[in-house]
Amino acid sequence: MADIRISTDPNRLAERRAERKKKQQLTYIIGGVVTTAIVFIVLIVSTNLNKEVSPEVPPQEANLVAPTPIVRADETKDPVSVGPKQIADDGKTLWASPTSGGPISLAWLPTGAQLVLHVRPASLEMAGELDKVVAALGPVADDGTRWLESTAGVKLRELDSITVGLRPASGYVPEWSVVMRPTKSFAGEPPRSFRSDAQQSAGGVTTFRADDSTWIIASSTLFTELQELDGSPPLLRRELDSLLSASDDQRQITLLTAPSFLFGEGRELLAGQRKPLGERLIPMLPDEVKGICLSMNWDANFFAELLVSPTGGTKSREIAQSYAEQVADWPGDAEEAIIGLTAGDYGRRVVARFPAMLRALARNTRTDFERTHAVLRCYLPKPAGHSLLMASELMMAYESTGPVTAIASATQAETPKTFAERLAKPTSLSFERDTLEMAIKLLSDDLGIPITINGGDLQLDGITKNQSFGIKVENKPASDILVDILRLANPDKTATAANDPKQKLVYIVGEDETLMVTTRAAAAKRGDKLPEVFVE
């Protein structure tokens, strides 16, 4: 057989390499900085907004420092023209903002930017959250941080602010610029990359210094345009401009974007591991939504705000009402998503807490509306912010990769085969607070044994499967963990053991080797045989 020769065009090959490098650099920027904000949207979009679920009213969150005064506009007048006033908390009125800055500066961003991200690393560092947020977001954020620090020649914590702007370009690879401003305490000369008026690298990236306190990294194609703008604010779409006016440059993370960009020219931002996020964004951000502004801030508490700008034909009151009616259903959709995931021990424990985290988020979220946008605000205990980010990142990672086949194959030989072996299998279950229903689902999924709850039997005894509790057990037989769950969910807390008649919740084993959670009274009425652990 004759040798096969492949001819290549060296010029075209160089172009393709440059294009791949540009995409790689963009991934680092998005991964290290944009992901920090965009991943948080999953806390809102991991919901199905078409369900109607009555919100539960759980106990007050622990460690939540009372937020600063709650505000409400005079309901008889225009909420925009009348300033807010402080009132006593009625449990519904919109939370007050913890910050009072002006609109974010867009100087040195490209005209037509459709995604703007503003991050204040030094402020996050002072709050003790910078390393936690980066760690919570996993390898992508870590790689992005390294790329930015290597290119800029400065540590992330030495930057007062980073502002990123992206706009559509050919080949679905957006053009971008990153504007960095060092802290006032930054000592010494500017980093080497910013000591000359312009310095272009072979990878299509230009670095230049606008002044001693403003350093820019940008796509080389934007260099001339940015120089001509000379720091003048770029033009934005109307709905983004109105959201920009409502932004606060003192918040530590702010993301401003148009959904049409995320689903169109900027869809590469939602590719790969972020694909599940894009799928959840679609129902959350329909055609009626023209722009969103998401911001987060850590001080004594964790604070998050989402502004949603509707189309001209949709009133902001309607958007706010829609979100308010559906917010209680966020945890349910997360539970459904978790059931289909296969994760390692560590990941399973983190995502198992995700529904409980979302319940806390829903309980503390309040909605309102202004003339041009809907408003959602939430306060949570300070550690909740990076915990939510970590759980969101893991959810997306597991959903994008599917079952962890490497772990499954490695343990296949040790997987229990018989029903009795599965019940005796040592396992672990841990969450701070979740429902009886979710605890049973998690254990059932782990064992590979169907476990159901006979809701009718529980209702006859006045027991609800939506009651919540916390549990932490490790390396314990699965049957014992099931008993622990039922004891924690038992309404009579004076029961001293599983075989105590006051222990109303029990389980029975079906002929088809399934388990059913029921009550002692219902089992006795049907003549069901109880496992020995429940027998006096």
Side-chain angles (χ1 to χ4, degrees):
M1 179 180 295
D3 293 339
I4 299 175
R5 297 184 179 181
I6 302 176
S7 299
T8 61
D9 181 344
N11 295 327
R12 181 59 187 148
L13 186 60
E15 290 176 7
R16 290 201 299 268
R17 287 174 176 168
E19 189 72 12
R20 284 199 301 270
K21 192 165 186 179
K22 284 172 64 179
K23 288 186 178 182
Q24 205 171 44
Q25 290 160 349
L26 177 67
T27 299
Y28 288 153
I29 294 173
I30 302 307
V33 189
V34 175
T35 302
T36 305
I38 205 171
V39 74
F40 189 75
I41 302 175
V42 78
L43 307 178
I44 298 169
V45 303
S46 62
T47 67
N48 182 341
L49 297 182
N50 297 318
K51 299 179 183 178
E52 294 184 2
V53 177
S54 300
E56 62 172 313
V57 184
Q60 181 71 23
E61 308 303 329
N63 303 321
L64 177 61
V65 180
T68 48
I70 300 164
V71 300
R72 173 191 279 163
D74 188 335
E75 295 179 349
T76 65
K77 299 180 181 180
D78 185 346
V80 176
S81 62
V82 178
K85 59 183 180 181
Q86 296 181 7
I87 64 170
D89 185 11
D90 60 2
K92 298 179 180 179
T93 304
L94 191 67
W95 296 116
S97 170
T99 57
S100 56
I104 295 168
S105 171
L106 302 189
W108 300 103
L109 297 189
T111 294
Q114 294 198 40
L115 185 148
V116 175
L117 176 71
H118 182 69
V119 182
R120 303 186 63 222
S123 179
L124 279 168
E125 175 73 8
M126 288 184 63
E129 292 292 322
L130 181 61
D131 290 341
K132 295 176 183 177
V133 168
V134 173
L137 294 172
V140 176
D142 188 52
D143 289 345
T145 299
R146 291 180 183 177
W147 179 89
L148 188 65
E149 291 182 341
S150 173
T151 304
V154 65
K155 294 294 184 183
L156 203 58
R157 60 179 54 88
E158 296 174 324
L159 295 172
D160 179 72
S161 68
I162 302 171
T163 308
V164 182
L166 286 82
R167 76 172 182 193
S170 61
Y172 302 103
V173 181
E175 295 177 313
W176 51 269
S177 67
V178 181
V179 182
M180 296 172 291
R181 295 179 173 87
T183 61
K184 292 181 179 179
S185 61
F186 180 80
E189 296 182 4
R192 184 182 301 276
S193 299
F194 306 100
R195 290 181 189 172
S196 59
D197 291 336
Q199 179 180 340
Q200 184 171 332
S201 73
V205 174
T206 296
T207 62
F208 64 96
R209 180 182 63 189
D211 53 54
D212 288 343
S213 61
T214 307
W215 310 330
I216 297 102
I217 307 174
S219 303
S220 296
T221 54
L222 285 180
F223 176 66
T224 302
E225 177 185 324
L226 295 178
Q227 290 284 26
E228 291 175 352
L229 284 172
D230 195 25
S232 299
L235 297 176
L236 292 179
R237 293 166 53 169
R238 180 189 304 173
E239 52 271 9
L240 293 185
D241 192 57
S242 66
L243 289 174
L244 177 67
S245 300
S247 68
D248 188 328
D249 63 1
Q250 295 304 300
R251 305 261 175 91
Q252 291 157 343
I253 299 176
T254 301
L255 175 70
L256 173 69
T257 191
S260 60
F261 172 69
L262 293 177
F263 302 139
E265 300 96 331
R267 61 178 181 239
E268 284 292 322
L269 306 183
L270 297 175
Q273 183 173 313
R274 292 177 291 278
K275 184 177 179 181
L277 176 58
E279 293 171 349
R280 286 194 164 84
L281 277 170
I282 291 174
M284 180 66 182
L285 301 175
D287 293 340
E288 292 78 17
V289 174
K290 289 299 182 182
I292 58 171
C293 182
L294 173 72
S295 57
M296 293 171 274
N297 198 79
W298 286 260
D299 46 30
N301 300 309
F302 169 68
F303 171 83
E305 177 187 76
L306 178 67
L307 306 179
V308 183
S309 176
T311 60
T314 304
K315 296 181 179 179
S316 56
R317 180 197 299 267
E318 296 172 358
I319 290 287
Q321 182 65 25
S322 173
Y323 280 65
E325 289 175 352
Q326 305 303 332
V327 69
D329 196 38
W330 297 354
D333 205 55
E335 290 176 346
E336 292 299 321
I338 289 172
I339 292 172
L341 298 181
T342 302
D345 287 342
Y346 172 75
R348 183 174 65 246
R349 294 173 187 176
V350 175
V351 298
R353 299 187 181 99
F354 196 37
M357 296 179 192
L358 290 177
R359 286 191 183 89
L361 182 74
R363 285 194 292 267
N364 289 279
T365 296
R366 299 185 182 181
T367 62
D368 206 339
F369 65 94
E370 300 289 353
R371 177 181 296 162
T372 59
H373 53 265
V375 186
L376 290 84
R377 286 180 177 173
C378 178
Y379 274 99
L380 286 172
K382 187 176 180 180
H386 60 258
S387 298
L388 284 164
L389 289 171
M390 177 182 290
S392 301
E393 192 273 339
L394 283 171
M395 283 286 291
M396 286 194 297
Y398 289 132
E399 285 188 309
S400 64
T401 58
V404 186
T405 54
I407 295 177
S409 61
T411 59
Q412 188 172 8
E414 303 174 5
T415 301
K417 301 296 183 182
T418 68
F419 181 76
E421 287 175 346
R422 291 181 182 181
L423 284 179
K425 169 191 172 184
T427 188
S428 302
L429 183 64
S430 176
F431 51 80
E432 293 183 5
R433 183 162 293 275
D434 216 315
T435 64
L436 168 62
E437 185 177 29
M438 188 57 190
I440 293 298
K441 285 181 179 179
L442 289 171
L443 188 62
S444 174
D445 186 55
D446 185 40
L447 296 180
I449 296 176
I451 307 177
T452 60
I453 300 177
N454 192 321
D457 289 354
L458 270 61
Q459 288 179 4
L460 291 175
D461 248 322
I463 305 172
T464 173
K465 59 185 178 181
N466 291 323
Q467 61 179 294
S468 58
F469 56 89
I471 188 173
K472 184 176 182 180
V473 288
E474 297 181 356
N475 297 321
K476 196 172 183 180
S479 57
D480 291 353
I481 293 180
L482 179 56
V483 172
D484 289 344
I485 291 172
L486 299 182
R487 292 202 61 195
L488 287 167
N490 193 61
D492 191 340
K493 303 305 179 184
T494 63
T496 57
N499 62 355
D500 189 324
K502 296 177 184 177
Q503 175 63 39
K504 294 184 177 182
L505 283 174
V506 298
Y507 73 83
I508 59 174
V509 180
E511 293 181 359
D512 55 351
E513 295 189 338
T514 62
L515 302 178
M516 183 178 74
V517 175
T518 181
T519 63
R520 188 180 293 274
K525 186 176 181 179
R526 287 190 298 265
D528 296 331
K529 181 180 178 181
L530 294 180
E532 187 176 347
V533 67
F534 295 112
V535 179
E536 297 181 59

